Amino acid sequence: MTVAFFSGKARRAGVALGAVSAGLLVLSACGWVKPTPIATVTVGSDSYNTEAAENCYDENGLKESRVQECLSAKGGKDVEVAVDDRIRFGVDPEIAENGWTIFLDGERAEPEPYKKTYRSISASSFFTAGMGGEPAKSVRVSILETDSKTKKAIGVYRFVLKKV
């Protein structure tokens, strides 16, 4: 009976390869973080996308106080628009499945969450004259993702529309 033996060099190479493979498997399993969904604003041929604002995303639902902070916070992805442009909003299917609502400067702009991945709105509707009579030069647009079953807010995605 003949038994094939590996040489010491081949055996060490096999053990090293196995150890590296096992190490990579463990690292990838422990360090993998599911990315948050993305919201996109498109004006003309320019697209601007963003993940949820920092500390403004939780799959299990954000606390109400945190939601208000996220909606009223300054900043977001800057988007230059002309009054006669069409602004196209797009969200990942996961956001659409839950439902999403547009907020302008921290105030709800529509009564019901939208359940589709895409919509188009005229830029002029964002820059109408307010109480003071002067049209705004910029407006903060937040997209609030809400779980349709629990009615809890999940994420806030922010953009700043700047009139050019």
Side-chain angles (χ1 to χ4, degrees):
M1 179 167 130
T2 314
V3 177
F5 290 99
F6 290 110
S7 70
K9 193 175 193 181
R11 191 175 28 238
R12 284 190 299 274
V15 169
L17 181 62
V20 168
S21 297
L24 289 174
L25 181 65
V26 168
L27 284 175
S28 67
C30 294
W32 186 77
V33 176
K34 180 181 174 185
T36 62
I38 292 177
T40 303
V41 169
T42 303
V43 179
S45 61
D46 298 324
S47 290
Y48 309 85
N49 56 30
T50 188
E51 290 185 8
E54 187 174 340
N55 298 318
C56 295
Y57 183 84
D58 186 343
E59 286 181 328
N60 300 316
L62 293 165
K63 293 181 181 175
E64 187 59 36
S65 61
R66 188 77 203 131
V67 173
Q68 290 308 313
E69 288 175 24
C70 291
L71 289 172
S72 62
K74 303 271 187 226
K77 183 78 75 158
D78 288 345
V79 179
E80 292 186 345
V81 298
V83 176
D84 58 345
D85 283 335
R86 297 259 340 141
I87 301 173
R88 295 176 296 281
F89 293 90
V91 297
D92 281 355
E94 181 181 331
I95 297 172
E97 186 177 307
N98 287 323
W100 54 288
T101 307
I102 293 178
F103 281 69
L104 302 177
D105 290 329
E107 300 295 322
R108 181 182 289 270
E110 51 196 355
E112 295 290 322
Y114 198 69
K115 300 285 269 179
K116 296 182 179 177
T117 59
Y118 170 84
R119 67 193 301 182
S120 180
I121 302 172
S122 173
S124 62
S125 61
F126 293 96
F127 297 104
T128 58
M131 298 294 274
E134 278 293 311
K137 293 182 180 174
S138 69
V139 63
R140 286 180 294 116
V141 176
S142 300
I143 294 174
L144 175 68
E145 177 186 0
T146 308
D147 186 311
S148 58
K149 295 174 188 141
T150 65
K151 305 295 183 207
K152 287 185 176 182
I154 295 173
V156 177
Y157 308 80
R158 295 193 304 244
F159 298 91
V160 178
L161 303 181
K162 295 187 173 191
K163 186 168 63 170
V164 293

